Amino acid sequence: MGYLPKAGVGFELIEFRSNGRDVQGGIFSPDAKLFKASSTAVVLVHGVESYWYSAPTMFLGAYLAEAGYTVLGYNGVHSGDSFRTSEFDTAVSEAGDAVSFMASRGCDRIFLVGHSLGTPIVEYYQGDQPHPAVKALGVYGPHIDIPAVTRDSLLGPDLYESFASECRELIAAGKGDEIKLLPFREGRFIITSAKTFISYRDVKTSKANVEKMIGNINVPFLIVYDDGDNIQGKGIVTRRASIAGRIKANAVKSPQAEIVVIPSSPGNSPFQAHLFVNNERMVTNQTIDWLKSVGLPPAQRW
């Protein structure tokens, strides 16, 4: 898997139910020989078409467990091929079920984390009806308005409007499951159904514009990005720094909203920067330092 912790880490394959489906994942746990039991946990929500065993959720799971945190990663409805027919509301509900699953195992102090597309999922969840066990929120490679960045950066306004109009027409005709190829870079496509595109990316109706929901979040808020991680497809460049700034500006109820900028590793592409390639330890250490600062330290050592 590529990320080997220095100390022993326990691992358990798990399943939980959400929206009528079995969700698979894994729990990384601290070495019981080194650490006392703790009720603090981390729940990781991956990005588009990714998996819990891909970066950055994989390295965060392994390295945070090495440091004394119990960590859940799971394959959301937006993982792999299943993303193509998924919907944003389902992904949000699933994040809530993941939190509830960890709470049912005795974890009453949870740090909920999203990466990339996972960030509006956790931001919406935490701004709507969060579980009281969630004591802090983290967004890595963050988003605040997926529909707008799709229109302005990935596609450009003209291609966006023609694609969105076609998807709306398919849905109106009862063909929302029809698969479309979304060309967002030269030679690169996102495979999506019409209903999925509208659910995540419609500027008129999508809940993945989470600006207002962020204003409801009342727990400490960590915002992490690599300074080489900017967004461009066929449209203009959207700088991750501007997204992070907007998130912090809208987090008006959070007692602490902090931006952490990771210096990009030389030679990394924007996509590699988005995954924090060659900066895995730095991202983890910055995360641990912040968690300690907001009263969520790792388990104590024996």
Side-chain angles (χ1 to χ4, degrees):
M1 293 183 180
Y3 308 109
L4 297 177
K6 296 176 183 177
V9 168
F11 182 75
E12 174 190 1
L13 289 171
I14 58 90
E15 285 187 344
F16 62 88
R17 293 285 292 176
S18 181
N19 300 295
R21 66 186 284 262
D22 292 322
V23 181
Q24 287 80 38
I27 293 178
F28 300 84
S29 57
D31 187 342
K33 297 178 182 177
L34 300 176
F35 294 95
K36 299 178 181 179
S38 171
S39 64
T40 299
V42 180
V43 173
L44 303 174
V45 183
H46 60 72
V48 61
E49 295 185 340
S50 190
Y51 301 94
W52 64 261
Y53 44 81
S54 302
T57 50
M58 178 63 192
F59 76 72
L60 282 171
Y63 292 161
L64 287 173
E66 174 191 64
Y69 291 95
T70 300
V71 185
L72 167 68
Y74 67 92
N75 287 339
V77 71
H78 59 298
S79 67
D81 292 349
S82 67
F83 167 74
R84 302 173 184 181
T85 54
S86 70
E87 295 183 81
F88 184 74
D89 281 343
T90 305
V92 172
S93 174
E94 192 174 61
D97 289 333
V99 168
S100 296
F101 174 76
M102 291 304 286
S104 73
R105 292 171 65 110
C107 299
D108 58 6
R109 299 174 62 77
I110 292 173
F111 177 43
L112 177 59
V113 172
H115 173 250
S116 195
L117 183 64
T119 65
I121 292 170
V122 301
E123 287 163 334
Y124 192 96
Y125 170 77
Q126 194 62 27
D128 186 25
Q129 295 180 323
H131 195 287
V134 178
K135 304 301 182 184
L137 190 72
V139 291
Y140 294 62
H143 284 284
I144 189 171
D145 190 344
I146 290 284
V149 84
T150 303
R151 178 193 62 199
D152 299 338
S153 290
L154 294 185
L155 299 184
D158 293 340
L159 178 58
Y160 174 87
E161 189 50 46
S162 64
F163 194 92
S165 295
E166 185 176 356
C167 288
R168 294 185 194 110
E169 291 171 5
L170 285 169
I171 291 171
K175 300 178 180 179
D177 288 327
E178 185 166 315
I179 295 296
K180 306 291 293 178
L181 292 179
L182 175 63
F184 69 103
R185 292 191 183 101
E186 291 300 326
R188 293 287 303 276
F189 297 87
I190 294 174
I191 302 173
T192 177
S193 65
K195 71 176 185 182
T196 295
F197 180 87
I198 294 302
S199 178
Y200 289 94
R201 302 180 188 275
D202 186 15
V203 293
K204 297 179 180 179
T205 62
S206 174
K207 294 179 181 178
N209 175 357
V210 293
E211 191 164 7
K212 292 182 180 178
M213 301 306 291
I214 288 172
N216 297 333
I217 295 170
N218 60 5
V219 297
F221 203 159
L222 176 63
I223 306 156
V224 183
Y225 71 92
D226 184 305
D227 63 7
D229 176 18
N230 299 308
I231 307 166
Q232 185 176 20
K234 296 177 178 293
I236 63 172
V237 175
T238 297
R239 303 207 169 273
R240 200 72 64 174
S242 67
I243 295 174
R246 286 177 61 195
I247 292 171
K248 181 172 182 177
N250 280 277
V252 292
K253 292 184 180 179
S254 173
Q256 178 180 337
E258 181 176 345
I259 296 174
V260 171
V261 183
I262 303 299
S264 195
S265 181
N268 272 4
S269 67
F271 180 68
Q272 289 172 315
H274 189 53
L275 300 179
F276 304 105
V277 171
N278 297 322
N279 278 320
E280 293 87 356
R281 285 286 183 184
M282 181 183 297
V283 171
T284 304
N285 290 339
Q286 292 275 13
T287 298
I288 294 169
D289 288 346
W290 185 81
L291 286 171
K292 290 177 180 177
S293 77
V294 298
L296 294 174
Q300 292 183 339
R301 289 181 175 269
W302 290 105

